Amino acid sequence: MSDANIRIPEEAKERLAAIATAEGLSLRAYLARLAETLLTPAERAERAEKARTLLNRWNGYAPTPAQQRDLDDELDRRLDQVTSL
């Protein structure tokens, strides 16, 4: 395992360390777990395509690109509402 030095604001480091401690982990272990669980943009796109394929087989769901954009916009709007509370 190699070590890496990263530069982040002190407040971000303190926040990550507090989260790690609350979960019973060192900052190093928390960041390693975080890296293992987050998806890359390519992985997210692959999963989304797989879900669309399965939904199409199951119930004929096949939105057009315009419908997909509208649904994405609606999801973004709702997430903005929730996160701005």
Side-chain angles (χ1 to χ4, degrees), residues 61 63-78:
Y61 179 76
T64 65
Q67 290 170 321
Q68 285 183 29
R69 281 190 302 277
D70 289 345
L71 291 168
D72 287 343
D73 290 345
E74 178 64 12
L75 179 59
D76 289 342
R77 186 188 67 77
R78 290 181 185 205

Side-chain angles (χ1 to χ4, degrees), residues 5-17:
N5 291 320
I6 58 171
R7 297 177 64 79
I8 60 173
E10 185 66 28
E11 299 83 25
K13 177 185 173 259
E14 289 172 5
R15 180 174 172 79
L16 289 168

Side-chain angles (χ1 to χ4, degrees), residues 12-29:
K13 177 185 173 259
E14 289 172 5
R15 180 174 172 79
L16 289 168
I19 294 167
T21 299
E23 295 191 23
L25 298 169
S26 67
L27 180 55
R28 175 189 289 219

Side-chain angles (χ1 to χ4, degrees), residues 19-65:
I19 294 167
T21 299
E23 295 191 23
L25 298 169
S26 67
L27 180 55
R28 175 189 289 219
Y30 178 76
L31 291 173
R33 187 180 75 182
L34 187 63
E36 291 170 4
T37 59
L38 293 177
L39 299 175
T40 66
E43 290 167 334
R44 283 194 305 273
E46 182 181 334
R47 283 192 181 188
E49 183 57 36
K50 189 175 186 177
R52 278 191 295 276
T53 300
L54 292 172
L55 283 169
N56 183 275
R57 276 193 229 144
W58 178 56
N59 67 6
Y61 179 76
T64 65

